[in-house]
Amino acid sequence: MASSISLPRAESTNPLLNALRIVPGILLLAGIGYAGKILEHSVNAYAKSHHWTFPNIEYVLWAILIGLIISNILAIPKIFQPGIATYEFWLKLGIVLLGTRFVLADVLKLGGISLRLVVIEITLSLALMTLLGRLFKLKPKLTSLLAIGSAVCGVSAIIAAKGAIDADDEDSSFAIAAILALGALSLFTFPAIAHGLHMTDVSYGLWAGLGVDNTAEATAAGALYSDAAGKVAVLAKTARNAMIGFVVLGYALYWSGRGQAEAITNKAAFLWKKFPKFVLGFLLMSLLVGFHAFSKGQVASLGNLSKWAFLLTFAGVGLRTNLRDTSKQGLRPFIVGALGEVLIACLTLGLVVGANRIWGL
Amino acid sequence: MSTDKSSTTPSSKGTSFSLDTWALIVAMLLALAVRFDILKNVPW
């Protein structure tokens, strides 16, 4: 999980030893990701040579499935854990490099639309989750964590908010487990629904970016539909991530006002601390491409490097999803999360359909 | 996203970089390597 990310965490005073600790897990991520890529080509070639009508299963899904099988059927030896935990680093690296595949005008146009939708989505999601939490009589801080996780950006938002609102470890674990389990479900439900509705790549990408909570799952859910949808999903999700500081600050002020969290002395510093800096890297890359800092071939190379980084991320998404751990968590937070997620998915789908009519996506 | 717990990675000298900063640094190094043809024609 995000809380155990370490790159390179200083467990020992020897930096070389620390670097070596993450190597086995990174090799496992790369192996699973590459196996997914090989499977995509092999299965498609086999189906084609035998004249079968077989759906094109992309490497994204193969990598996630292999990871899920390994983490849920086999026990992953401890030696791999530090390296597996780097999947979030690869995700952020992939997002920064993906900036090269966007023309700045597209970022401004789609990003602008995304931001407007994000503000509506966050406002309605926070209100909805708070209402559900009260209806199901969840603890107030657990409700806050679930609301932040569902409205903004999943696990990372929950971890960022945990310290700010002084929530219990147990509440955080509940909220994280619910968000992760629901994120795993969305990987399969979002593309299926979108295919049924014949959504365009841009519309679906926006929906995945707005409706799927965790950045890794949103990226994967987008890429499962198409490469173009994956790009838009990352852009929409990045716009959503940019709002994390404002939402967490709002909750921190609310709880400190009630004397149940530390007071915020410097709001600007708080916002900067919580702001996801990789968003700036994404914009910088797009800007550099806009100023022709790279040739066409170099842009293609950077785009491919981004894909390799995502390959490791998708393997990590499967590996860190442990269904047994999830089932051990409480039922009520899960029901609240699930109900909320279904309603948020419907709400964001409605937003995207509305945006499509207004802006013709 | 930058987070309280996960993002801070102390180095041996006590300075710290967030996970986001690491991603930015590595991305910029890769971009420089590609820009100056140290990394060429990266396949997919």
Side-chain angles (χ1 to χ4, degrees):
Chain A
M1 279 182 205
S3 55
S4 58
I5 302 302
S6 50
L7 185 89
R9 191 179 288 279
E11 294 291 334
S12 126
T13 49
N14 188 334
L16 185 66
L17 275 180
N18 288 330
L20 285 175
R21 284 178 65 244
I22 60 173
V23 171
I26 291 175
L27 289 176
L28 182 65
L29 291 178
I32 290 172
Y34 198 67
K37 202 163 145 41
I38 290 173
L39 270 171
E40 178 190 349
H41 288 289
S42 316
V43 171
N44 287 344
Y46 190 81
K48 202 174 174 184
S49 66
H50 287 74
H51 306 289
W52 290 353
T53 309
F54 195 76
N56 178 33
I57 301 176
E58 297 233 7
Y59 71 95
V60 182
L61 187 57
W62 285 120
I64 292 170
L65 285 176
I66 298 168
L68 270 173
I69 291 167
I70 292 176
S71 65
N72 287 279
I73 295 177
L74 311 169
I76 303 172
K78 275 189 177 175
I79 191 172
F80 293 108
Q81 297 298 349
I84 291 171
T86 62
Y87 83 93
E88 198 173 346
F89 165 77
W90 302 110
L91 171 68
K92 289 170 179 181
L93 177 64
I95 291 176
V96 175
L97 293 171
L98 188 70
T100 58
R101 293 177 69 199
F102 278 97
V103 180
L104 195 63
D106 288 346
V107 174
L108 294 177
K109 186 193 168 202
L110 272 176
I113 294 172
S114 300
L115 264 180
R116 275 174 266 187
L117 297 179
V118 161
V119 171
I120 301 170
E121 181 268 333
I122 287 178
T123 309
L124 294 176
S125 300
L126 289 176
L128 179 73
M129 294 304 286
T130 307
L131 183 70
L132 284 172
R134 285 185 184 165
L135 277 176
F136 281 78
K137 295 186 172 61
L138 293 188
K139 286 191 280 181
K141 283 194 178 175
L142 174 58
T143 301
S144 294
L145 291 174
L146 276 173
I148 294 166
S150 307
V152 197
C153 55
V155 175
S156 299
I158 293 170
I159 294 167
K162 180 185 175 288
I165 69 170
D166 198 19
D168 294 343
D169 283 345
E170 192 187 345
D171 285 352
S172 308
S173 304
F174 274 145
I176 287 171
I179 293 293
L180 280 179
L182 296 164
L185 284 177
S186 65
L187 286 175
F188 302 97
T189 50
F190 268 63
I193 293 169
H195 279 298
L197 295 175
H198 305 291
M199 291 178 80
T200 63
D201 289 334
V202 174
S203 293
Y204 174 73
L206 269 178
W207 185 39
L210 289 172
V212 181
D213 296 332
N214 239 11
T215 308
E217 274 82 352
T219 308
L224 280 168
Y225 197 67
S226 73
D227 191 45
K231 278 172 59 183
V232 178
V234 169
L235 184 63
K237 191 70 187 70
T238 304
R240 205 166 144 206
N241 290 343
M243 307 301 281
I244 187 172
F246 299 99
V247 175
V248 174
L249 176 64
Y251 273 89
L253 290 173
Y254 172 79
W255 284 109
S256 66
R258 296 185 150 221
Q260 292 184 43
E262 275 184 41
I264 311 291
T265 48
N266 187 340
K267 294 185 183 72
F270 183 92
L271 279 175
W272 176 245
K273 190 181 166 194
K274 301 290 178 192
F275 186 81
K277 315 294 184 299
F278 68 89
V279 174
L280 300 177
F282 175 89
L283 291 173
L284 177 65
M285 283 296 183
S286 185
L287 200 67
L288 287 173
V289 171
F291 283 113
H292 306 289
F294 304 103
S295 69
K296 207 174 170 183
Q298 288 170 340
V299 170
S301 285
L302 287 167
N304 287 343
L305 282 170
S306 163
K307 284 185 178 181
W308 284 111
F310 283 141
L311 191 79
L312 272 67
T313 307
F314 299 143
V317 167
L319 280 174
R320 64 87 191 265
T321 305
N322 192 313
L323 302 173
R324 274 169 298 186
D325 284 356
T326 304
S327 66
K328 284 178 199 163
Q329 307 297 332
L331 195 62
R332 269 193 306 162
F334 185 80
I335 291 172
V336 170
L339 264 176
E341 292 298 331
V342 171
L343 293 172
I344 290 167
C346 295
L347 176 91
T348 47
L349 184 59
L351 281 176
V352 171
V353 170
N356 195 19
R357 289 201 181 155
I358 297 169
W359 293 294
L361 303 170
Chain B
M1 291 117 290
S2 177
T3 60
D4 290 340
K5 282 189 170 179
S6 64
S7 59
T8 308
T9 51
S11 74
S12 53
K13 288 187 178 176
T15 53
S16 62
F17 284 131
S18 72
L19 197 69
D20 285 17
T21 311
W22 275 111
L24 269 175
I25 291 169
V26 176
M28 292 306 148
L29 288 174
L30 285 171
L32 281 173
V34 169
R35 175 66 184 79
F36 294 104
D37 288 337
I38 298 165
L39 268 176
K40 277 196 274 190
N41 304 320
V42 177
W44 170 243

